[in-house]
Amino acid sequence: MARIAGISTQTNAKGIVTKITVDLKKHPKVKEALIEIGYLTKTQQQIEDEEFEKDWNNPTNLTVEQARQLSLEHINSLKWDK
């Protein structure tokens, strides 16, 4: 097996890998993968970021053109005095 800096393995008598140790500073994507599969818990910031992304990418949100049209209609409905 190739040696990778920041990752060490332990094998049993049959040569099967039984333990893997990963330096999370050298390999931060491993931490993300462990969070993804539920082994590690998410930070409060990650939870808030996910909620924001859900709200931001909500397909029921108005498009820019729809919001502009609604704004113009509202302004026109105020019947400005000249």
Side-chain angles (χ1 to χ4, degrees):
M1 186 179 294
R3 297 191 51 86
I4 300 172
I7 298 177
S8 62
T9 60
Q10 293 179 0
T11 58
N12 62 11
K14 295 180 181 180
I16 299 171
V17 176
T18 57
K19 294 182 182 180
I20 299 175
T21 305
V22 179
D23 183 346
L24 296 177
K25 287 184 180 179
K26 290 184 179 181
H27 304 283
K29 291 193 179 212
V30 173
K31 186 174 181 180
E32 294 171 16
L34 292 172
I35 290 171
E36 190 77 26
I37 62 173
Y39 189 73
L40 295 176
T41 58
K42 296 178 182 179
T43 64
Q44 185 63 32
Q45 183 64 43
Q46 289 170 322
I47 293 169
E48 290 173 6
D49 289 347
E50 285 179 2
E51 288 298 318
F52 175 79
E53 286 297 321
K54 284 180 188 174
D55 290 341
W56 181 260
N57 294 318
N58 187 341
T60 62
N61 290 344
L62 295 175
T63 64
V64 173
E65 187 56 37
Q66 290 170 328
R68 181 180 165 278
Q69 187 62 36
L70 286 174
S71 297
L72 289 173
E73 289 173 8
H74 178 69
I75 290 169
N76 290 335
S77 73
L78 295 176
K79 298 183 181 180
W80 294 77
D81 291 331
K82 293 182 182 182

PDB file of all heavy atoms in Angstrom, residues 22 24 27-42 46 50:
ATOM      1  N   VAL A  22      -5.910   9.336  10.448  1.00  0.00           N
ATOM      2  CA  VAL A  22      -5.781  10.418   9.479  1.00  0.00           C
ATOM      3  C   VAL A  22      -5.527  11.728  10.211  1.00  0.00           C
ATOM      4  O   VAL A  22      -6.243  12.064  11.152  1.00  0.00           O
ATOM      5  CB  VAL A  22      -7.064  10.537   8.626  1.00  0.00           C
ATOM      6  CG1 VAL A  22      -6.945  11.676   7.633  1.00  0.00           C
ATOM      7  CG2 VAL A  22      -7.372   9.230   7.927  1.00  0.00           C
ATOM      8  N   LEU A  24      -6.231  15.260  10.293  1.00  0.00           N
ATOM      9  CA  LEU A  24      -7.273  16.081   9.683  1.00  0.00           C
ATOM     10  C   LEU A  24      -6.777  17.457   9.261  1.00  0.00           C
ATOM     11  O   LEU A  24      -7.406  18.107   8.427  1.00  0.00           O
ATOM     12  CB  LEU A  24      -8.472  16.205  10.619  1.00  0.00           C
ATOM     13  CG  LEU A  24      -9.192  14.882  10.905  1.00  0.00           C
ATOM     14  CD1 LEU A  24     -10.308  15.099  11.899  1.00  0.00           C
ATOM     15  CD2 LEU A  24      -9.715  14.259   9.633  1.00  0.00           C
ATOM     16  N   HIS A  27      -5.465  16.596   5.802  1.00  0.00           N
ATOM     17  CA  HIS A  27      -6.504  16.073   4.916  1.00  0.00           C
ATOM     18  C   HIS A  27      -7.886  16.511   5.407  1.00  0.00           C
ATOM     19  O   HIS A  27      -8.672  15.705   5.907  1.00  0.00           O
ATOM     20  CB  HIS A  27      -6.423  14.547   4.845  1.00  0.00           C
ATOM     21  CG  HIS A  27      -5.081  14.035   4.424  1.00  0.00           C
ATOM     22  ND1 HIS A  27      -4.662  14.067   3.122  1.00  0.00           N
ATOM     23  CD2 HIS A  27      -4.057  13.520   5.148  1.00  0.00           C
ATOM     24  CE1 HIS A  27      -3.439  13.573   3.051  1.00  0.00           C
ATOM     25  NE2 HIS A  27      -3.044  13.238   4.263  1.00  0.00           N
ATOM     26  N   PRO A  28      -8.233  17.801   5.271  1.00  0.00           N
ATOM     27  CA  PRO A  28      -9.514  18.297   5.795  1.00  0.00           C
ATOM     28  C   PRO A  28     -10.730  17.722   5.085  1.00  0.00           C
ATOM     29  O   PRO A  28     -11.819  17.667   5.665  1.00  0.00           O
ATOM     30  CB  PRO A  28      -9.419  19.805   5.590  1.00  0.00           C
ATOM     31  CG  PRO A  28      -8.397  19.994   4.523  1.00  0.00           C
ATOM     32  CD  PRO A  28      -7.440  18.855   4.659  1.00  0.00           C
ATOM     33  N   LYS A  29     -10.582  17.229   3.867  1.00  0.00           N
ATOM     34  CA  LYS A  29     -11.729  16.651   3.155  1.00  0.00           C
ATOM     35  C   LYS A  29     -12.200  15.356   3.800  1.00  0.00           C
ATOM     36  O   LYS A  29     -13.356  14.982   3.655  1.00  0.00           O
ATOM     37  CB  LYS A  29     -11.399  16.442   1.693  1.00  0.00           C
ATOM     38  CG  LYS A  29     -11.244  17.750   0.958  1.00  0.00           C
ATOM     39  CD  LYS A  29     -11.227  17.567  -0.517  1.00  0.00           C
ATOM     40  CE  LYS A  29     -11.092  18.950  -1.138  1.00  0.00           C
ATOM     41  NZ  LYS A  29     -11.747  19.051  -2.393  1.00  0.00           N
ATOM     42  N   VAL A  30     -11.316  14.681   4.516  1.00  0.00           N
ATOM     43  CA  VAL A  30     -11.717  13.463   5.220  1.00  0.00           C
ATOM     44  C   VAL A  30     -12.723  13.810   6.306  1.00  0.00           C
ATOM     45  O   VAL A  30     -13.712  13.097   6.505  1.00  0.00           O
ATOM     46  CB  VAL A  30     -10.485  12.737   5.809  1.00  0.00           C
ATOM     47  CG1 VAL A  30     -10.904  11.578   6.688  1.00  0.00           C
ATOM     48  CG2 VAL A  30      -9.567  12.267   4.700  1.00  0.00           C
ATOM     49  N   LYS A  31     -12.504  14.933   6.979  1.00  0.00           N
ATOM     50  CA  LYS A  31     -13.433  15.368   8.020  1.00  0.00           C
ATOM     51  C   LYS A  31     -14.809  15.646   7.422  1.00  0.00           C
ATOM     52  O   LYS A  31     -15.825  15.261   7.988  1.00  0.00           O
ATOM     53  CB  LYS A  31     -12.894  16.620   8.722  1.00  0.00           C
ATOM     54  CG  LYS A  31     -13.724  17.046   9.909  1.00  0.00           C
ATOM     55  CD  LYS A  31     -13.066  18.202  10.643  1.00  0.00           C
ATOM     56  CE  LYS A  31     -13.880  18.601  11.842  1.00  0.00           C
ATOM     57  NZ  LYS A  31     -13.273  19.707  12.565  1.00  0.00           N
ATOM     58  N   GLU A  32     -14.835  16.297   6.253  1.00  0.00           N
ATOM     59  CA  GLU A  32     -16.100  16.559   5.582  1.00  0.00           C
ATOM     60  C   GLU A  32     -16.823  15.262   5.237  1.00  0.00           C
ATOM     61  O   GLU A  32     -18.037  15.154   5.383  1.00  0.00           O
ATOM     62  CB  GLU A  32     -15.861  17.381   4.314  1.00  0.00           C
ATOM     63  CG  GLU A  32     -15.335  18.775   4.571  1.00  0.00           C
ATOM     64  CD  GLU A  32     -14.906  19.485   3.310  1.00  0.00           C
ATOM     65  OE1 GLU A  32     -15.294  19.031   2.208  1.00  0.00           O
ATOM     66  OE2 GLU A  32     -14.178  20.481   3.416  1.00  0.00           O
ATOM     67  N   ALA A  33     -16.050  14.273   4.804  1.00  0.00           N
ATOM     68  CA  ALA A  33     -16.650  12.978   4.457  1.00  0.00           C
ATOM     69  C   ALA A  33     -17.213  12.290   5.700  1.00  0.00           C
ATOM     70  O   ALA A  33     -18.301  11.699   5.657  1.00  0.00           O
ATOM     71  CB  ALA A  33     -15.620  12.085   3.782  1.00  0.00           C
ATOM     72  N   LEU A  34     -16.510  12.376   6.824  1.00  0.00           N
ATOM     73  CA  LEU A  34     -17.001  11.778   8.069  1.00  0.00           C
ATOM     74  C   LEU A  34     -18.252  12.477   8.571  1.00  0.00           C
ATOM     75  O   LEU A  34     -19.156  11.835   9.118  1.00  0.00           O
ATOM     76  CB  LEU A  34     -15.900  11.801   9.136  1.00  0.00           C
ATOM     77  CG  LEU A  34     -14.704  10.891   8.865  1.00  0.00           C
ATOM     78  CD1 LEU A  34     -13.599  11.154   9.887  1.00  0.00           C
ATOM     79  CD2 LEU A  34     -15.111   9.440   8.872  1.00  0.00           C
ATOM     80  N   ILE A  35     -18.343  13.778   8.373  1.00  0.00           N
ATOM     81  CA  ILE A  35     -19.554  14.522   8.733  1.00  0.00           C
ATOM     82  C   ILE A  35     -20.699  14.096   7.831  1.00  0.00           C
ATOM     83  O   ILE A  35     -21.823  13.882   8.274  1.00  0.00           O
ATOM     84  CB  ILE A  35     -19.305  16.041   8.648  1.00  0.00           C
ATOM     85  CG1 ILE A  35     -18.367  16.492   9.770  1.00  0.00           C
ATOM     86  CG2 ILE A  35     -20.617  16.812   8.707  1.00  0.00           C
ATOM     87  CD1 ILE A  35     -17.884  17.925   9.647  1.00  0.00           C
ATOM     88  N   GLU A  36     -20.391  13.928   6.543  1.00  0.00           N
ATOM     89  CA  GLU A  36     -21.408  13.555   5.556  1.00  0.00           C
ATOM     90  C   GLU A  36     -22.054  12.210   5.884  1.00  0.00           C
ATOM     91  O   GLU A  36     -23.262  12.047   5.747  1.00  0.00           O
ATOM     92  CB  GLU A  36     -20.773  13.505   4.168  1.00  0.00           C
ATOM     93  CG  GLU A  36     -21.724  13.360   3.036  1.00  0.00           C
ATOM     94  CD  GLU A  36     -22.443  14.646   2.703  1.00  0.00           C
ATOM     95  OE1 GLU A  36     -21.906  15.726   2.978  1.00  0.00           O
ATOM     96  OE2 GLU A  36     -23.546  14.545   2.174  1.00  0.00           O
ATOM     97  N   ILE A  37     -21.258  11.254   6.325  1.00  0.00           N
ATOM     98  CA  ILE A  37     -21.818   9.936   6.635  1.00  0.00           C
ATOM     99  C   ILE A  37     -22.362   9.855   8.059  1.00  0.00           C
ATOM    100  O   ILE A  37     -22.919   8.842   8.451  1.00  0.00           O
ATOM    101  CB  ILE A  37     -20.794   8.806   6.393  1.00  0.00           C
ATOM    102  CG1 ILE A  37     -19.573   8.949   7.303  1.00  0.00           C
ATOM    103  CG2 ILE A  37     -20.406   8.739   4.944  1.00  0.00           C
ATOM    104  CD1 ILE A  37     -18.618   7.780   7.230  1.00  0.00           C
ATOM    105  N   GLY A  38     -22.227  10.942   8.816  1.00  0.00           N
ATOM    106  CA  GLY A  38     -22.824  11.004  10.139  1.00  0.00           C
ATOM    107  C   GLY A  38     -21.934  10.546  11.280  1.00  0.00           C
ATOM    108  O   GLY A  38     -22.385  10.405  12.412  1.00  0.00           O
ATOM    109  N   TYR A  39     -20.659  10.325  11.004  1.00  0.00           N
ATOM    110  CA  TYR A  39     -19.751   9.882  12.068  1.00  0.00           C
ATOM    111  C   TYR A  39     -19.350  11.033  12.977  1.00  0.00           C
ATOM    112  O   TYR A  39     -19.227  10.866  14.172  1.00  0.00           O
ATOM    113  CB  TYR A  39     -18.510   9.223  11.459  1.00  0.00           C
ATOM    114  CG  TYR A  39     -17.639   8.566  12.491  1.00  0.00           C
ATOM    115  CD1 TYR A  39     -18.025   7.384  13.097  1.00  0.00           C
ATOM    116  CD2 TYR A  39     -16.445   9.141  12.886  1.00  0.00           C
ATOM    117  CE1 TYR A  39     -17.242   6.789  14.061  1.00  0.00           C
ATOM    118  CE2 TYR A  39     -15.647   8.561  13.846  1.00  0.00           C
ATOM    119  CZ  TYR A  39     -16.050   7.377  14.434  1.00  0.00           C
ATOM    120  OH  TYR A  39     -15.280   6.806  15.399  1.00  0.00           O
ATOM    121  N   LEU A  40     -19.179  12.214  12.404  1.00  0.00           N
ATOM    122  CA  LEU A  40     -18.884  13.418  13.184  1.00  0.00           C
ATOM    123  C   LEU A  40     -20.081  14.355  13.097  1.00  0.00           C
ATOM    124  O   LEU A  40     -20.820  14.334  12.120  1.00  0.00           O
ATOM    125  CB  LEU A  40     -17.645  14.133  12.632  1.00  0.00           C
ATOM    126  CG  LEU A  40     -16.318  13.402  12.728  1.00  0.00           C
ATOM    127  CD1 LEU A  40     -15.221  14.212  12.045  1.00  0.00           C
ATOM    128  CD2 LEU A  40     -15.941  13.121  14.165  1.00  0.00           C
ATOM    129  N   THR A  41     -20.261  15.186  14.117  1.00  0.00           N
ATOM    130  CA  THR A  41     -21.388  16.115  14.108  1.00  0.00           C
ATOM    131  C   THR A  41     -21.001  17.408  13.391  1.00  0.00           C
ATOM    132  O   THR A  41     -19.838  17.798  13.343  1.00  0.00           O
ATOM    133  CB  THR A  41     -21.837  16.455  15.544  1.00  0.00           C
ATOM    134  OG1 THR A  41     -20.733  17.016  16.253  1.00  0.00           O
ATOM    135  CG2 THR A  41     -22.333  15.226  16.264  1.00  0.00           C
ATOM    136  N   LYS A  42     -22.009  18.056  12.844  1.00  0.00           N
ATOM    137  CA  LYS A  42     -21.803  19.317  12.144  1.00  0.00           C
ATOM    138  C   LYS A  42     -21.696  20.448  13.158  1.00  0.00           C
ATOM    139  O   LYS A  42     -22.310  20.410  14.210  1.00  0.00           O
ATOM    140  CB  LYS A  42     -22.975  19.599  11.203  1.00  0.00           C
ATOM    141  CG  LYS A  42     -23.115  18.592  10.109  1.00  0.00           C
ATOM    142  CD  LYS A  42     -24.310  18.884   9.253  1.00  0.00           C
ATOM    143  CE  LYS A  42     -24.459  17.810   8.182  1.00  0.00           C
ATOM    144  NZ  LYS A  42     -25.615  18.019   7.345  1.00  0.00           N
ATOM    145  N   GLN A  46     -22.000  25.216  10.080  1.00  0.00           N
ATOM    146  CA  GLN A  46     -22.340  24.361   8.944  1.00  0.00           C
ATOM    147  C   GLN A  46     -23.850  24.172   8.831  1.00  0.00           C
ATOM    148  O   GLN A  46     -24.399  24.180   7.731  1.00  0.00           O
ATOM    149  CB  GLN A  46     -21.657  23.003   9.074  1.00  0.00           C
ATOM    150  CG  GLN A  46     -20.163  23.061   8.855  1.00  0.00           C
ATOM    151  CD  GLN A  46     -19.476  21.768   9.221  1.00  0.00           C
ATOM    152  OE1 GLN A  46     -19.844  21.117  10.201  1.00  0.00           O
ATOM    153  NE2 GLN A  46     -18.475  21.392   8.443  1.00  0.00           N
ATOM    154  N   GLU A  50     -26.129  25.443   5.644  1.00  0.00           N
ATOM    155  CA  GLU A  50     -27.025  24.558   4.895  1.00  0.00           C
ATOM    156  C   GLU A  50     -28.431  25.133   4.822  1.00  0.00           C
ATOM    157  O   GLU A  50     -29.081  25.078   3.773  1.00  0.00           O
ATOM    158  CB  GLU A  50     -27.056  23.176   5.529  1.00  0.00           C
ATOM    159  CG  GLU A  50     -25.826  22.350   5.253  1.00  0.00           C
ATOM    160  CD  GLU A  50     -25.870  20.988   5.906  1.00  0.00           C
ATOM    161  OE1 GLU A  50     -26.891  20.658   6.556  1.00  0.00           O
ATOM    162  OE2 GLU A  50     -24.892  20.241   5.744  1.00  0.00           O
TER     163      GLU A  50
END
